[in-house]
């Protein structure tokens, strides 16, 4: 399993095949006491003065956050960096900043976290099954891909564009 972002796509690899599973909207994580926390939707430019919690690596959630904010008209100010979305949730809940969070990772939401939809167009995260090229696969690969596709259909809904 691997993911990328609509704004930061994965490069092709001649020895690997990707099978699309699902896409999900990114949402903004805010502390419960943030002035915008009670809204159904916000624009990212409303958070231009916030500290942003981002990933540590380029071509990851870090670049996705940077590009989403730039598309909204500002460069985000980094407060903290982590590649763990649970850490993002904890830092946001503690009032240390705001973060873009994928929908599916919010099933175990921190109690101090408020999640708000992004308008007009939220960034999208895409989830893929990554396998060796067809001739080099283990026999169980196809069965596992079927299970992953079935579960992806159960979990997914079209990402808002």
């Amino acid at each position: 399993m691997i993911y990328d972002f609509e704004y930061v796509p994965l490069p092709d690899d001649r020895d690997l095949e990707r099978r699309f599973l699902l896409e999900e909207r990114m949402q903004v994580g805010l502390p419960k006491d943030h002035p915008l926390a009670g809204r159904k939707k916000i624009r990212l430019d409303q958070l231009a003065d916030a500290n942003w919690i981002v990933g540590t690596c380029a071509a990851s959630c870090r670049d996705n956050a940077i590009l989403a904010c730039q598309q909204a008209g500002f460069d985000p100010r980094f407060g903290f960096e982590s590649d763990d979305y649970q850490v993002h949730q904890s830092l946001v809940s503690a009032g240390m900043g705001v973060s873009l969070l994928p929908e599916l990772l919010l099933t175990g939401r921190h109690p101090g976290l408020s999640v708000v939809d992004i308008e007009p167009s939220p960034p999208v995260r895409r989830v893929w099954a990554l396998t060796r090229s067809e001739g080099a696969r283990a026999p169980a690969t196809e069965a596992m891909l079927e299970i992953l596709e079935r579960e992806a259909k159960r979990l997914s809904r079209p990402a808002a564009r």
Side-chain angles (χ1 to χ4, degrees), residues 38-141:
R39 304 238 179 128
K40 286 190 181 270
K41 294 183 178 187
I42 61 171
R43 295 180 327 276
L44 287 182
D45 65 355
Q46 292 175 276
L47 299 170
D49 293 331
N51 285 324
W52 283 80
I53 300 161
V54 297
T56 62
C57 305
S60 69
C61 63
R62 176 190 192 91
D63 284 349
N64 185 56
I66 292 169
L67 292 169
C69 291
Q70 287 175 340
Q71 193 171 43
F74 68 97
D75 288 317
R77 182 178 61 232
F78 303 146
F80 293 91
E81 298 176 354
S82 174
D83 290 328
D84 184 333
Y85 281 118
Q86 297 304 318
V87 172
H88 283 230
Q89 285 192 48
S90 296
L91 289 168
V92 169
S93 297
M96 306 304 284
V98 301
S99 180
L100 291 180
L101 301 169
E103 290 178 291
L104 291 177
L105 291 177
L106 294 171
T107 56
R109 187 177 299 172
H110 191 286
L113 180 72
S114 179
V115 179
V116 180
D117 287 334
I118 299 167
E119 62 180 358
S121 299
V124 173
R125 183 172 98 146
R126 301 176 300 195
V127 180
W128 307 85
L130 188 65
T131 63
R132 292 181 178 181
S133 298
E134 198 165 324
R137 292 183 187 161
T141 301

Side-chain angles (χ1 to χ4, degrees), residues 3-10 20 22-26 60 63-64 67-68 71 121-128 159-161:
Y3 65 86
D4 70 356
F5 298 95
E6 186 175 48
Y7 295 150
V8 191
L10 289 169
F20 177 77
L22 61 91
E23 62 182 21
E24 59 184 325
R25 295 173 304 136
M26 300 296 287
S60 69
D63 284 349
N64 185 56
L67 292 169
Q71 193 171 43
S121 299
V124 173
R125 183 172 98 146
R126 301 176 300 195
V127 180
W128 307 85
R161 299 244 182 225

